[in-house]
Amino acid sequence: MTRRKTHRFLQNAESANVIEIGKPLYKTIRGNWRTAYFKNNNPVVLELACGKGEYTVGLAQAFPEVNFIGVDIKGDRIARGAKAAQTLGLHNVAFLRTDINFLTEFFTAGEVNELWITFPDPQPRPKQEKHRLTHPRFLSTYQRLLVAGGTLHVKTDSPELFAYSLEQVKQAQVADLQFTTDLYNSPLNGIHLGIKTKYEQLFFDKGFTINYLQCKMGVI
């Protein structure tokens, strides 16, 4: 392990806004995010595979009356988002270090109001399909965790993943599906508030179009 990673792991251990194995809330937070962590009854929004937390932090700045949780398994990435939130004095941000396969161990049915998936690994090979974050098994989980009519957002630069995601979403029980294959030249552009992750900016600068969809999920 590099010295930089070691420093970031130590930072996570000391950061109140990082919930990870070994901390008391890690085992008790399920169903208690508003009461035990945020100390309010505001809406809860997840960003899955949040990486360095750029989108989580950006949204938290834009919506101070909403609680945002970035979820990722990579501790060194989460550490950067956690530090950024602390530097900005944001108290409506938390980061959960866990595998997305275990979401139901940390959230109860209907505990989440909105869910963002921003630039996930496209898992392009056929045998990787079950690992795509818009695979039916994941969509089924999102249906359970979201409140009735909760919103799912998906952003990706991968045309193949987007086509796959759109097909899976259409087959699921959703409502009010909206999508575009060129977000920045679409009426839907305002939804993302101009927030770009590092990789999104790189894709955009190279001329790639950004694919986006949103729909209502949960028990509608």
Side-chain angles (χ1 to χ4, degrees):
M1 185 184 300
T2 65
R3 182 177 300 176
R4 182 175 296 177
K5 280 191 175 183
T6 299
H7 171 74
R8 288 179 177 145
F9 289 144
L10 290 173
Q11 176 188 312
N12 284 343
E14 297 171 355
S15 295
N17 64 351
V18 176
I19 296 173
E20 61 181 358
I21 193 167
K23 295 186 176 183
L25 283 179
Y26 188 80
K27 292 186 176 181
T28 62
I29 197 65
R30 184 176 185 267
N32 299 305
W33 283 94
R34 291 176 176 86
T35 56
Y37 181 83
F38 292 110
K39 312 297 184 184
N40 61 50
N41 199 37
N42 294 338
V44 169
V45 177
L46 303 188
E47 184 194 3
L48 302 185
C50 69
K52 300 174 185 176
E54 297 141 300
Y55 218 83
T56 300
V57 171
L59 288 171
Q61 286 182 280
F63 300 102
E65 300 304 316
V66 177
N67 302 320
F68 292 91
I69 306 167
V71 182
D72 205 296
I73 192 63
K74 299 290 187 178
D76 58 321
R77 295 177 185 173
I78 279 180
R80 302 183 212 192
K83 181 66 174 178
Q86 291 167 349
T87 300
L88 292 166
L90 298 174
H91 301 290
N92 61 329
V93 180
F95 288 91
L96 172 64
R97 186 183 177 194
T98 191
D99 190 304
I100 292 171
N101 287 288
F102 305 138
L103 279 180
T104 56
E105 296 184 15
F106 298 95
F107 301 93
T108 57
E111 191 172 7
V112 178
N113 297 85
E114 200 167 320
L115 195 153
W116 285 82
I117 303 173
T118 54
F119 300 92
D121 187 334
Q123 306 285 0
R125 291 179 291 178
K127 68 178 183 179
Q128 295 176 310
E129 179 182 354
K130 67 180 180 180
H131 299 298
R132 297 171 190 164
L133 293 186
T134 50
H135 184 276
R137 71 187 181 96
F138 284 115
L139 293 179
S140 178
T141 295
Y142 309 154
Q143 289 274 27
R144 294 197 300 275
L145 300 185
L146 283 165
V147 298
T151 305
L152 171 69
H153 305 265
V154 179
K155 289 178 72 178
T156 177
D157 66 304
S158 167
E160 294 78 16
L161 178 62
F162 188 69
Y164 173 85
S165 301
L166 191 56
E167 182 61 29
Q168 301 309 314
V169 165
K170 286 179 177 178
Q171 292 181 29
Q173 184 186 355
V174 303
D176 299 332
L177 174 62
Q178 301 179 67
F179 62 92
T180 176
T181 56
D182 189 1
L183 178 61
Y184 294 107
N185 289 303
S186 163
L188 297 173
N189 184 37
I191 292 170
H192 80 111
L193 305 175
I195 302 168
K196 293 188 180 76
T197 66
K198 174 184 177 181
Y199 291 107
E200 181 175 0
Q201 187 66 57
L202 289 172
F203 299 143
F204 181 75
D205 290 344
K206 291 180 179 179
F208 291 99
T209 58
I210 304 301
N211 306 282
Y212 169 82
L213 70 80
Q214 70 168 28
C215 62
K216 303 295 185 183
M217 300 186 75
V219 181
I220 301 170

